[in-house]
Amino acid sequence: MIRILFTPAFAIMILISTSFTTSYDLTDQVNNESEVNDGPYIFIDSDSSGILKSIRNGEIVTDTVALKKTSFANEPSEFAGADKIAILSDIHGQIDVLQELLKANDIIDQKNNWSFDKGHFVIVGDVFDRGPKVTETLWFIFKLEEQAELAGGKVHYLMGNHEYMALHNDLRYIHEKYYKTSELLNTSYPDLFSVNTVLGRWLRSKSTIIKINDNLFVHGGLSNEFMSMGLSLDEANDRYRKSFEMTRDEIRASEDYNGLYSSSSPIWYRGYFAGKKGMTESDFQNILSFLDANQIIVGHTSYKKVKSGYDKRLYVVDSSIKIGKSGELLLIENGKYYRCKFDGKRKLLN
Ligand code: ZN
């Protein structure tokens, strides 16, 4: 549980924990579009304190905060016994669409708090880039993760190509507002998520490929080229975590790491959607067998709705939330796979 308090004690209290009285909520959204509003970003000073920086109506707000937790254990790669799993991807800073979709499907309540009981909620990458509310989305997921944990559920935020791009200083897709944030805070965009920040350490604890029950989850997909690297899920996730600290040149020059960033890598692959040029049915089945799984769920390749492929062994959940209008999620419950729409209606897919 993370509790972040301003010091001195009588000053405003910042919190994620529900056990405190809220006077400043990290997930609070400011809707004044004419001025830059962003943050907070919390830079860790010591094991127990940090400097909080926000931008409110174009002005920097700085405060010292007490931190109850400054490290995050690496997420495991495999989970068993999940009764229900909700999955979506490619949010790209569209928190309003995300929250409306989650409300319509009873994953969160009307106040944006977890209401999915012991369920697992998987975000299959790409919260970063394109849209204007990336920071708000990150803190919302951060809060939801803590609430899910308390309820016996779980949030899994997997890293996509856009997480790795932004954190490796490839800023081609960031919303223009984040250039202003960087300028005002006098720091590069990736340094807002460095290993010395709360969000940066939290992101570095995340996985890129996970398995829940007999389902594999990965942003782009698992290709033959990636499989030939011979990595276990743990090894792949650890290698991705280490790559956060490498430059793009270092990654390109390393045989061990280059395959994690190529067009056939788990975060970029589109071979499941390439028709005759793509992965064959038998190769797809071989990958499932090798990893002792029955389904693969991916994002990254955008459609209007949640779809299935490979004889209902593949599900793609990028339903174009990034456009900022609507979206869908996939629900797995009792062996059934449902396409859950923006209005809360469901359609059985298998
Ligand atoms: Zn992507």
Side-chain angles (χ1 to χ4, degrees):
M1 184 180 294
I2 291 197
R3 291 162 182 170
I4 300 162
L5 310 182
F6 274 104
T7 51
F10 59 81
I12 312 167
M13 189 182 285
I14 285 205
L15 60 107
I16 293 161
S17 165
T18 45
S19 58
F20 283 92
T21 311
T22 309
S23 48
Y24 185 116
D25 186 340
L26 289 172
T27 62
D28 194 23
Q29 293 173 44
V30 178
N31 289 314
N32 181 351
E33 307 285 351
S34 63
E35 298 273 13
V36 177
N37 287 287
D38 190 20
Y41 298 95
I42 300 171
F43 300 87
I44 298 165
D45 227 9
S46 70
D47 280 350
S48 58
S49 77
I51 308 291
L52 176 148
K53 292 185 181 181
S54 281
I55 298 169
R56 288 289 174 264
N57 298 322
E59 301 284 328
I60 303 170
V61 178
T62 304
D63 267 293
T64 304
V65 288
L67 303 173
K68 287 278 167 83
K69 186 178 172 186
T70 53
S71 67
F72 301 87
N74 289 345
E75 292 283 330
S77 305
E78 294 195 32
F79 301 83
D83 290 338
K84 52 182 181 178
I85 312 169
I87 312 110
L88 52 75
S89 76
D90 296 78
I91 300 160
H92 288 299
Q94 297 292 348
I95 193 171
D96 304 309
V97 173
L98 171 69
Q99 290 177 335
E100 207 173 322
L101 175 63
L102 294 177
K103 277 176 203 164
N105 289 284
D106 300 320
I107 313 296
I108 60 172
D109 65 19
Q110 289 307 312
K111 291 182 171 170
N112 297 325
N113 294 312
W114 180 260
S115 62
F116 199 43
D117 308 318
K118 292 180 174 17
H120 288 228
F121 172 41
V122 188
I123 298 156
V124 196
D126 281 8
V127 169
F128 276 79
D129 281 349
R130 303 188 196 278
K133 289 183 177 171
V134 171
T135 321
E136 292 88 337
T137 311
L138 293 170
W139 284 118
F140 170 62
I141 298 167
F142 190 102
K143 176 195 82 169
L144 217 52
E145 186 181 279
E146 189 181 72
Q147 293 179 336
E149 205 80 49
L150 288 171
K154 187 90 186 141
V155 173
H156 309 267
Y157 170 19
L158 306 186
M159 300 289 96
N161 59 313
H162 283 276
E163 274 74 23
Y164 289 110
M165 284 169 89
L167 297 179
H168 281 118
N169 208 25
D170 181 343
L171 307 182
R172 282 176 290 166
Y173 293 94
I174 64 169
H175 190 275
E176 60 184 51
K177 141 182 176 180
Y178 297 110
Y179 287 110
K180 291 181 191 153
T181 294
S182 289
E183 198 183 304
L184 284 165
L185 297 182
N186 195 23
T187 184
S188 72
Y189 188 64
D191 276 353
L192 295 170
F193 304 96
S194 79
V195 75
N196 297 318
T197 64
V198 171
L199 286 177
R201 289 191 186 177
W202 177 68
L203 288 165
R204 282 163 177 76
S205 72
K206 301 301 174 203
S207 293
T208 304
I209 314 168
I210 60 167
K211 188 177 166 193
I212 306 175
N213 301 343
D214 61 348
N215 304 285
L216 288 160
F217 300 83
V218 58
H219 182 64
L222 303 175
S223 67
N224 291 328
E225 291 85 346
F226 169 72
M227 296 305 290
S228 71
M229 290 173 77
L231 301 174
S232 68
L233 299 190
D234 276 341
E235 286 166 342
N237 286 324
D238 282 348
R239 208 175 275 191
Y240 268 115
R241 285 191 190 102
K242 288 197 184 103
S243 76
F244 271 125
E245 268 36 82
M246 297 166 70
T247 64
R248 281 184 278 163
D249 284 344
E250 283 167 342
I251 289 167
R252 254 180 241 124
S254 163
E255 246 179 63
D256 286 349
Y257 288 86
N258 200 28
L260 301 183
Y261 285 83
S262 69
S263 61
S264 57
S265 67
I267 56 172
W268 281 100
Y269 189 56
R270 292 190 203 272
Y272 301 156
F273 312 98
K276 284 182 181 153
K277 287 184 186 161
M279 181 172 283
T280 63
E281 294 276 344
S282 67
D283 281 352
F284 189 85
Q285 190 54 52
N286 285 342
I287 289 173
L288 284 176
S289 307
F290 188 79
L291 293 170
D292 196 21
N294 288 315
Q295 289 80 215
I296 300 180
I297 292 109
V298 301
H300 188 54
T301 304
S302 307
Y303 292 95
K304 281 186 187 156
K305 53 189 185 183
V306 169
K307 286 169 72 107
S308 68
Y310 290 88
D311 202 18
K312 295 171 184 171
R313 297 294 180 186
L314 171 74
Y315 291 89
V316 53
V317 297
D318 178 356
S319 60
S320 303
I321 292 172
K322 65 184 173 190
I323 294 170
K325 295 248 155 58
S326 72
E328 298 190 348
L329 57 83
L330 175 69
L331 176 71
I332 307 175
E333 199 169 12
N334 299 321
K336 304 277 188 217
Y337 288 67
Y338 300 94
R339 178 185 150 214
C340 297
K341 301 182 194 177
F342 203 50
D343 60 5
K345 290 190 180 126
R346 291 179 185 183
K347 193 169 183 293
L348 187 64
L349 290 175
N350 69 333

